[in-house]
Amino acid sequence: MKRTGRLLSTTLVLIIALNISACSKSNTNKNNSQNTPEVSIDIGSIKFPNVTILCRKSDYNQLFSINGDTLDKIGKIPTEDILDLIYSKEKDVYIFLVKKIDKNGKIANQIKIKKGNNTKILNESSIYADIKISPNNNNILFRSFKDANMNMPEGIRIYNIDEDKEIKIKTKVLVSGNVYQWLDDENIIYYGIISDKPNSGHIYKYNIKSGEESVYLDKLEGLCCNIYSISKDEILVLDNREDEYKLTYYNVKTGDKKLICKNISDMTAVVQNKDKKLLYFIGESLQSGGYSLFSIDLNTFECSQLTYDLPKNVDKLGGLALDPKGNVIFAGKDSEDKNDIYIYDTKNNSTSLITNSSNNYKIYKNN
């Protein structure tokens, strides 16, 4: 993999400022269960597949499943501005992040949680973002803001779906942006600093049952831009130091460390084929300046760029999923407002277009 890249103009001071501005203090808001009455989400008898494609139409949202190298319609849901969807077929849990505009023209996002026949709406804050669900699908982790411009962060928050309550996170760590993940069903990890403690920029671990916080990884070489948990003891870290990016593998149990590449400046979506120990992600290449599909062999830690001209640009916000054969489903775009769905055949190392016309598509996967 070529590793020559363009120089970035962003200074370290600016990066620090942006990281701190994206951080937030622990939440002190009241329980979300005190919000508006439950309202149903009309998804009817739609049988969500392992990979769902949502296409936003003017008067409804069309849902598709992947059938080989084609899309099959599976149903429609209301024409809400759905910003995100997380679901578990097995637990009959569907979580929608929905953009709302109130009567005064103010943006006020809602999180709609549908489980079985019941729907709960969380709309206490103006803006919610970056929802991540626990492996057992019992809890969601997200961050919230008091303003539509996301300049007044309230912190990361956890909501227990089964018990219909918020789990308070007791921490002094100012979490940097959306750099947080579920480690397992009881633990989350996040990168941040403690404002009155020098050299406190670490990745921390928090147990949601005991409320215990500890340092998970403290050997970072720069500012942490993104993290991905491979297993309870293994993690990928993308960091930046003096405009040099490094994607590195860490085993916190054994202390093993492996530099994977210096050619990636952003990671926006990650999926893992655990059976074949392969990881796929959408990343920004310093070499090309655009977003592409990449893979990492977790046996050798070899990183490979999989897409170049088809498509020329991978949609960094289009989603990422694996089909039952282990092929990679992703979106590519040639314009600002429309994209297409592609499939990367892992057996033949080839990419195919599977949509007939460009539209507003988003890929979601069963958790």
Side-chain angles (χ1 to χ4, degrees), residues 138-150:
N138 289 339
N139 299 285
I140 56 172
L141 171 65
F142 56 98
R143 57 178 177 149
S144 62
F145 301 82
K146 292 181 180 180
D147 64 317
N149 294 324
M150 301 174 76

Side-chain angles (χ1 to χ4, degrees), residues 237-255:
V237 176
L238 177 65
D239 64 20
N240 176 289
R241 183 178 183 182
E242 298 179 352
D243 292 343
E244 181 180 56
Y245 288 89
K246 291 182 180 180
L247 181 59
T248 309
Y249 163 87
Y250 294 90
N251 187 312
V252 298
K253 185 176 182 179
T254 64

